[in-house]
Amino acid sequence: FDVREKGSGNAGTTNMLRSVGKKAAVITLLCDILKGVVSIGIALIAGNIVKNVDKAVLVQIAGILVVVGHTFPIFFEFKGGKGVATSLGVIMMINWKIGLICLVFALVLMVLTQMVSVGSIGAAILYPVLTIFITQNYIVTGNYIISSIIIAVLVVFNHRSNVKRLL
């Protein structure tokens, strides 16, 4: 069956867990994270092949577009996941320290509130804040503030129904 026809109607890990089970949820989570990792890897390879290109900009564009593509997939009538795991893969590739901080922050919020959406939204909001203060350990040197804001907005936008319920 199409998991988007069950539970929350979302194709993400949380709905997979609720609708199908733990194994399917773990596979979904890993594949979504890998989607972000692979896109950044391809951007780095392309940046090494193409001369006179700003690798940091290429990495940022790849990061934004993989989250957009995950959220609004052409092949599934623009109805995809919320972009959290894919964003995590992107962030872990761009700056593993920021990625780990966001992951731990999300997990703590999830445990405290018993709501995955609160952890996801909280980590998304934390991401651009951390890019302002953490200036080392980036895969390619550059300014990641704008791209981090765009990714955060995408994730929060994708949780808009959750935000309405929370409010």
Side-chain angles (χ1 to χ4, degrees):
F1 66 90
D2 185 348
V3 73
R4 294 168 302 150
E5 295 173 0
K6 304 281 184 187
S8 67
N10 188 271
T13 301
T14 305
N15 196 40
M16 263 310 196
L17 178 64
R18 293 176 185 151
S19 302
V20 182
K22 290 179 184 176
K23 288 182 184 177
V26 169
I27 291 168
T28 302
L29 177 65
L30 292 175
C31 288
D32 287 348
I33 290 170
L34 280 172
K35 196 182 299 179
V37 169
V38 169
S39 70
I40 299 304
I42 291 170
L44 287 172
I45 291 168
N48 288 331
I49 293 171
V50 178
K51 303 296 180 206
N52 300 323
V53 66
D54 187 341
K55 290 180 192 174
V57 171
L58 200 58
V59 164
Q60 293 174 71
I61 290 169
I64 292 166
L65 291 181
V66 73
V67 175
V68 169
H70 173 81
T71 304
F72 306 107
I74 295 170
F75 300 111
F76 295 118
E77 299 172 3
F78 303 100
K79 189 176 178 187
K82 293 193 180 338
V84 176
T86 303
S87 295
L88 177 61
V90 168
I91 297 166
M92 291 297 284
M93 285 292 287
I94 289 175
N95 187 321
W96 64 271
K97 284 187 178 183
I98 291 176
L100 285 179
I101 293 168
C102 287
L103 177 60
V104 169
F105 185 73
L107 292 173
V108 168
L109 285 178
M110 288 176 202
V111 168
L112 292 175
T113 64
Q114 297 295 301
M115 291 185 272
V116 175
S117 62
V118 172
S120 300
I121 293 166
I125 293 169
L126 180 62
Y127 174 42
V129 174
L130 291 176
T131 61
I132 294 169
F133 296 105
I134 297 176
T135 58
Q136 297 175 340
N137 298 309
Y138 287 92
I139 195 164
V140 180
T141 303
N143 187 341
Y144 291 84
I145 295 170
I146 300 298
S147 65
S148 67
I149 290 170
I150 293 169
I151 290 173
V153 167
L154 281 167
V155 171
V156 173
F157 174 79
N158 293 333
H159 283 86
R160 64 192 175 280
S161 62
N162 299 78
V163 172
K164 288 177 186 175
R165 276 195 305 274
L166 290 169
L167 292 175

